[in-house]
Amino acid sequence: MTIYSWAGRVRGLFADNKGPWGTPPSGGGGDTPPGNEPQSPWGQPAKPRPTGGRSSVSSLDDFLKKSRGRLGGGGGSGRGFGGMGGRPDRSLFVWGAIGLAALWFLFTTMHVIAPEERGVVTRFGRYSHTLGPGVGLTLPSPIDRVQKVNVEEIREIALGSAAEETLMLTGDQNIIDIAYQVRWNIRDPEQFLYELAAPEDTIRQVAESAMRQVVAQFSLNDAIGNQRGQIESRVQEEMQQTLDSYDSGVVIQGVAVRQADPPAAVNEAFKDVTAAQQDAQREVNGSNAYALQLRQIAQGEATAFDKVYEQYRLAPEVTRRRMYYETMERVLRGVDKTIVETPGVTPYLPLPQMGRPAPAAPAAPAQPQGAGR
Amino acid sequence: MIDFVRRHTLASGFIAFVLLIAIFSSVSVVPETRQGIVTSFGKPVRIVNRFKQGEQIGQTGAGLAFRIPFVERIDWIDKRVRDIDMERQQVLSTDQLRLEVDAFARYRIVDPLRMYIAARGREENVETALRPILGSQLRNELGKRPFASLLSPEREGVMENIRIGLNRAARQYGAEIIDVRIKKADLPSGTPLESAYERMRSARTQEARSIRAEGSKRAQIIRAEADALAAQTYAAAFGKDPEFYDFYRAMQSYQTTFLGDGKNQPANTNIVMSPDNSYLKEFSGR
């Protein structure tokens, strides 16, 4: 095809220069010849030899005829474009064809690769190279093809959900309800495109398998409690290893356990354990408070005694008497007193009805320590 | 030639057309992801872009492949790693516990010709054929083990045994099993699951009780220790002069007994005293 078209063009250039060549030879495709002669018998019944050696047969004419032949049109009848009107503007048609070709050329050779993308180029199906971000040039479409792959985007796969229980067996044969999320992106776009038939499914399956395997090595309490981080990193490691063994070209960026709880059926029992912990702590706290109080009181009393004793040692007898009297004063001041002279019963003071408590004056705050000073 | 074209436009056009068809049908684009079997009237003649271990992307047989038009045809077979997802299997462990297992295998067609013949060129047929084999392999291999080791069979090389066994079957289909893994391993619903829950519950109850008991124990010890410490403090202070302590404490005691603790309502006390009382000894006015 190309040869014919070039042949036609060469002939046109050298043998037939009266045609108004408005078209610079475009390097586009062989399908778009530049032949553009008004005298050409467009739209007229064409004889097998329409040009008669006077004007060149452009390869477009050739092609059109062939097309007609292929489509089962009347043999040799070149009225093909009659449908477009009696005398279509030939130059417009050719310009259009050239424009289309140029567009096609432009769109299939220039590829704008976004910063987060890579363009994987295949030449006739075979991997050729990978385009980085920016504008990449390739051969036109049927030869080179570009598949854009977003390598920066972190994709997420959520496994297990809050609504539905995802039960797994732990190492101590308990059951845990777990929900987690895997974040991954593409490291190797070529591998990602060519090695796995269903990459996303694979990642999902590998995640499930790795999580189950890792959880089976932890006890329930560890999995629920503080070992989550370790589970996450182990799963990530395990997944990466497996995916690498498939040459998947995928990087696991992270695994996040969103939820690791006992199953709903046994949740009450677990809550009771928490309650028991609270109870125990509460009891211990009570005891601690008691202990603290007791110690303070003991220290207080001991110190008070020490202070008084110091004074007492300086003058034992006097201090002793003084303390005695002060105490008796305080005691007797606040109470109803009756002094009875035995054996002749002569009360010095009026004896109120015994047993009926008299309204007592509020006693002054009696601080025994004060007695020493 | 140009003259020929000019003279016989239609004929040359037709020739060109036929030539084109021939060229187009003799060239096939082989993508990286597929391998092709070229058959000549049904007889396999060669394989294009066959999978080879360790080959680099870009240096494979992908690209253009040629064939004799109208004589040879190409059938395509996936070259990528594919998976066989097994249906759930019940596995009975040696200690008579049941487990429902969900597994998958990853495979790749390494011998397209054999696969083409054995599975009529369809990957689905390979998968259909291997799925029950994987299931029975899994049951056999896992059934030899106690329940506890079923939980992470990967660690014990069990899955590798299964892979080798399955691979033997897969070879007949021109496939190679890359990996076999257990995706899920659950207790069957109903009695086994319920009894597991019951066990978990009773374990928690036990734990709760022991935590409470432990709490009381600690509380008691703390109180006792505090009592002991207080006693020690008192003994250290009061032991210096027991006789004075007796007096000092008696004074405090009188005050507390007769006056109350000085904070609340004072104790209601009536005292009837004899003048012989030592407090009143001066009453007699010696």
Side-chain angles (χ1 to χ4, degrees), chain A residues 4 11 48-49 53 62 65-66 70 124-127 167 169-170 173-175 190-191 193-197 202 205 208-209 212-213 216-217 220-221 242 246 263 265-266 269-270 272-273 275-277 279-280 283-284 287-288 290-291 294-295 297-298 301-302 304-306 308-309 312 320-321 323-325 327-328 330-332 335-341 354 360 363 366-368, chain B residues 2 5-7 9 13 16-17 29-33 57-58 60 62-64 80-83 85 99 104 106 108 147-148 151 154-155 179 181-187 193 196-197 199-201 204 207-208 211-212 215-216 218-219 222-223 226-227 229-230 233-234 237-238 240-241 243-245 247-248 251-252 255 258-259 268-275 278-281 283:
Chain A
Y4 290 112
R11 272 197 63 78
R49 277 191 208 177
D62 246 21
K65 271 183 221 114
K66 265 181 291 175
R70 190 171 15 169
F124 291 125
R126 180 201 284 228
Y127 169 72
L167 302 179
L169 280 162
T170 59
Q173 298 183 24
N174 286 313
I175 298 165
E190 311 90 77
Q191 284 190 341
L193 289 177
Y194 302 141
E195 291 291 343
L196 293 182
T202 304
Q205 285 176 338
E208 278 188 70
S209 154
R212 191 196 52 77
Q213 192 187 336
Q217 293 160 26
L220 177 69
N221 282 345
T242 309
Y246 302 158
V266 296
F270 275 84
D272 191 39
V273 172
Q277 278 160 351
D279 287 352
E283 208 165 339
V284 169
S287 284
N288 277 331
Y290 166 81
L294 197 65
R295 211 167 59 232
I297 289 173
E301 280 185 27
F305 178 79
D306 282 346
V308 176
Y309 183 64
Y312 167 78
R320 197 183 172 98
R321 287 317 301 175
M323 281 175 71
Y324 175 73
Y325 285 122
T327 307
M328 288 320 256
R330 271 201 297 277
V331 168
L332 292 176
V335 302
D336 298 324
K337 302 162 282 280
T338 309
I339 296 171
V340 177
E341 180 96 61
M354 297 292 286
Q367 295 299 332
Chain B
I2 290 163
V5 171
R6 285 181 61 198
R7 269 193 296 276
T9 313
F17 178 66
V29 169
V30 182
E32 292 276 355
T33 54
I57 294 171
T60 57
L64 290 181
R80 297 172 294 183
V81 176
R82 298 175 61 91
D83 78 311
D85 211 349
L99 199 63
F104 65 84
R106 307 239 146 240
R108 189 199 287 275
F147 182 79
L151 292 181
E154 279 90 351
R155 308 203 90 193
D179 198 9
R181 258 158 214 284
I182 293 181
K183 192 165 65 175
K184 281 182 187 156
D186 294 333
L187 291 169
L193 194 61
Y197 282 159
R199 192 168 44 72
M200 285 174 79
R201 257 183 236 124
R204 289 314 112 183
E207 194 184 341
I211 288 171
R212 286 201 173 93
S216 321
R218 272 168 59 204
I222 289 167
R223 278 198 301 270
D227 285 341
L229 191 70
T233 313
Y234 286 135
F238 304 152
K240 281 182 269 191
D241 190 342
E243 201 268 330
F244 177 67
Y245 172 69
F247 167 75
Y248 172 84
M251 293 300 109
Q252 272 184 25
Q255 192 155 322
F258 295 119
L259 294 177
N268 286 315
T269 314
N270 289 300
I271 293 178
V272 177
M273 288 191 300
S274 148
S278 76
Y279 179 66
L280 299 177
K281 67 181 191 289
F283 255 44

Side-chain angles (χ1 to χ4, degrees), chain A residues 118-132:
Chain A
R118 300 289 179 275
V120 178
V121 182
T122 48
R123 182 156 300 162
F124 291 125
R126 180 201 284 228
Y127 169 72
S128 146
H129 60 285
T130 303
L131 297 175

Side-chain angles (χ1 to χ4, degrees), chain A residues 27-86:
Chain A
D31 293 340
T32 50
N36 189 9
E37 292 166 281
Q39 301 100 319
S40 234
W42 274 94
Q44 291 172 354
K47 299 281 173 262
R49 277 191 208 177
T51 52
R54 200 182 122 251
S55 84
S56 74
V57 177
S58 77
S59 66
L60 184 63
D61 292 346
D62 246 21
F63 179 67
L64 290 170
K65 271 183 221 114
K66 265 181 291 175
S67 302
R68 283 195 56 79
R70 190 171 15 169
L71 294 168
S77 156
R79 289 192 62 218
F81 286 87
M84 287 169 66

Side-chain angles (χ1 to χ4, degrees), chain A residues 71-151:
Chain A
L71 294 168
S77 156
R79 289 192 62 218
F81 286 87
M84 287 169 66
R87 279 184 187 271
D89 188 342
R90 191 178 159 198
S91 79
L92 194 71
F93 176 80
V94 172
W95 274 109
I98 290 166
L100 277 177
L103 271 180
W104 164 77
F105 189 78
L106 194 74
F107 275 113
T108 57
T109 54
M110 258 178 58
H111 303 274
V112 179
I113 312 287
E116 70 276 10
E117 287 177 335
R118 300 289 179 275
V120 178
V121 182
T122 48
R123 182 156 300 162
F124 291 125
R126 180 201 284 228
Y127 169 72
S128 146
H129 60 285
T130 303
L131 297 175
V135 175
L137 293 175
T138 62
L139 296 180
S141 170
I143 302 167
D144 276 4
R145 272 176 205 280
V146 176
Q147 270 174 292
K148 290 179 188 173
V149 179
N150 189 334
V151 294

